[in-house]
Amino acid sequence: MASTDGPRKSEVPTWPELLQPVLEVLALGDTLHRKDVFDRAVETAQLSESARNERLNSGGLRYEQRMGWVLSHLSRADLVDRPSRGYYAINDAGRAWMVDHPNGMNYSTARTYFDPFWPVKTVNEPEAVNPRDADEIDPIEKIDQGVEQLAAKVGEDLLNRLRGTHPDFFEEAVVQVLLQMGYGGAEARGRRIGGSGDGGVDGVVDQDPLGLDQIYVQAKRYAEGNSVGREAIQAFVGALHGKGATKGIFITTSTFTSGAKEYAAVVPSRPILIDGVRLVKLMIKYRVGIQVKQTYDVVAVDEDFFE
């Protein structure tokens, strides 16, 4: 079974690995806002560009989430002071900690050191057998990774269901995905036109109220392992040319060969190719063919309340 891209291994260091960079920034003597700590510590830690751009499902940057967890631990252990809301400064205890731990801490030693400062265990990070596999260090990240795992499972189920549907149903489904994405304008004008005499296209989405600008869609319900080749894309491009169209989207439940991708990238019409993995991700994101079973509120102390 083709993978629908479940949770990926993060390139961002775990929070114990970020203790040293955060303290080094504060050890320069400035009182810094937490955002300034993040900006400077990311340079000290020499994070790669891809690591800096990693995001949680909530949209936040992963490295900022983990550095925020670092500041929470340091504050609990009285290794840094908070002279005002959102600002941090290292204290003598923090400088002594750096002397005692010149190489920082690994996950196991960090848990042992900081756990006593979190008497309410339900707010601490989850247990982990192998420190190197402990990506869900922060409770928020644990939720985030759980959401990714559920989405991956739902994606596999969706893909299997789509492969087993009637071609007409599949063609209608992909049109609905495009409409939910915002194509078709305010009136959501789009329709399936597959069947005999369809001219090589399965659906069309109007881009304006009069239908002067249109996107044509080809939908191929292929089994796993049966990739769409260059010839199918050439035929679709020919169909677009026959309709005088300049925009096309080819959607499949399988994958595209390298030849198909290379051809689509160089022809003037530049059709967009959406494979099965990307299709189910779009269905989940835009809520097509799925239901939201539960929602959860993530709570935090309202700092403004205590000002």
Side-chain angles (χ1 to χ4, degrees):
M1 180 180 295
S3 170
T4 51
D5 287 349
R8 297 182 298 274
K9 182 68 177 177
S10 172
E11 293 184 35
V12 180
T14 59
W15 70 260
E17 296 170 301
L18 292 171
L19 282 166
Q20 197 73 5
V22 168
L23 283 172
E24 285 180 13
V25 166
L26 292 171
L28 296 177
D30 295 329
T31 297
L32 299 175
H33 188 271
R34 61 186 289 114
K35 186 64 173 65
D36 294 322
V37 173
F38 299 158
D39 291 344
R40 299 187 189 187
V42 76
E43 297 292 339
T44 301
Q46 297 182 331
L47 266 63
S48 66
E49 191 66 24
S50 56
R52 298 181 190 203
N53 291 326
E54 275 190 36
R55 289 189 177 274
L56 302 168
N57 286 319
S58 59
L61 291 169
R62 190 180 299 276
Y63 81 84
E64 289 189 349
Q65 180 70 28
R66 292 187 177 180
M67 287 184 184
W69 193 237
V70 168
L71 290 175
S72 294
H73 279 295
L74 294 174
S75 295
R76 284 275 182 165
D78 291 327
L79 299 178
V80 297
D81 297 327
R82 296 178 61 188
S84 60
R85 189 166 71 90
Y87 284 83
Y88 295 83
I90 194 170
N91 55 30
D92 290 341
R95 294 184 186 279
W97 185 96
M98 294 182 68
V99 172
D100 293 339
H101 305 90
N103 298 317
M105 286 183 168
N106 61 29
Y107 183 81
S108 179
T109 56
R111 275 191 60 90
T112 300
Y113 183 91
F114 287 101
D115 266 5
F117 302 104
W118 293 87
V120 183
K121 293 299 180 182
T122 55
V123 302
N124 207 346
E125 76 282 357
E127 296 292 336
V129 176
N130 185 343
R132 294 306 307 170
D133 295 334
D135 275 352
E136 63 267 35
I137 303 302
D138 184 305
I140 299 297
E141 289 199 55
K142 183 179 181 182
I143 295 171
D144 194 77
Q145 190 175 60
V147 170
E148 288 184 4
Q149 291 171 339
L150 286 172
K153 178 61 170 64
V154 170
E156 289 182 1
D157 292 345
L158 277 174
L159 206 49
N160 288 331
R161 293 288 190 95
L162 291 172
R163 287 170 176 156
T165 61
H166 189 278
D168 291 356
F169 180 92
F170 180 60
E171 292 164 4
E172 180 64 32
V174 298
V175 170
Q176 290 303 313
V177 172
L178 295 174
L179 293 179
Q180 286 296 109
M181 291 175 66
Y183 294 101
E187 298 179 10
R189 295 168 59 92
R191 62 193 184 280
R192 184 184 75 83
I193 58 175
S196 60
D198 62 13
V201 297
D202 298 317
V204 61
V205 177
D206 294 343
Q207 287 292 84
D208 58 83
L210 297 179
L212 298 174
D213 192 13
Q214 297 179 315
I215 298 174
Y216 286 89
V217 183
Q218 179 70 277
K220 289 298 183 184
R221 188 181 50 86
Y222 283 4
E224 181 182 358
N226 186 13
S227 298
V228 177
R230 177 188 177 110
E231 296 79 10
I233 306 302
Q234 286 177 318
F236 181 50
V237 170
L240 294 176
H241 181 72
K243 292 183 176 295
T246 59
K247 299 177 181 178
I249 302 175
F250 197 116
I251 302 177
T252 182
T253 51
S254 61
T255 57
F256 296 94
T257 65
S258 58
K261 295 176 183 178
E262 290 168 2
Y263 178 76
V266 298
V267 294
S269 56
R270 299 284 180 89
I272 301 299
L273 307 184
I274 299 178
D275 63 16
V277 171
R278 187 178 179 190
L279 172 60
V280 296
K281 286 184 177 181
L282 292 173
M283 292 180 70
I284 292 171
K285 180 177 181 178
Y286 293 98
R287 303 295 190 254
V288 177
I290 67 167
Q291 295 178 336
V292 177
K293 300 295 291 184
Q294 290 180 316
T295 59
Y296 297 91
D297 292 327
V298 178
V299 299
V301 172
D302 184 353
E303 298 287 353
D304 292 333
F305 179 81
F306 292 97
E307 283 296 303

